[in-house]
Amino acid sequence: MERVAQRCIVCEEERTDGIAICEQFICQQCEQEMVNTDVQDKKYTFFIHQMRRIWLTD
Ligand SMILES: [Zn+2]
């Protein structure tokens, strides 16, 4: 089965491996990074910012 590439909402790269949250796609790389990102890490803030685009679409 061919997998269609989707645009990751975090890194905005088109990838085939990843997860869908609220019909938004997050690639496996970013998902793994998010899981491993410490709350103190500056990157965490970036992820939250990107994630807010999913839930705060209005
Ligand atoms: Zn990504």
Side-chain angles (χ1 to χ4, degrees), residues 6-15 25-27 30:
Q6 296 180 80
R7 189 178 296 276
C8 169
I9 58 118
V10 180
C11 65
E12 297 182 333
E13 296 287 328
E14 295 211 348
R15 299 184 197 279
F25 179 76
I26 297 174
C27 74
C30 291

Side-chain angles (χ1 to χ4, degrees), residues 1 13 16 30 44-45 50-51:
M1 199 171 98
E13 296 287 328
T16 51
C30 291
Y44 186 81
T45 312
Q50 296 292 81
M51 293 293 283

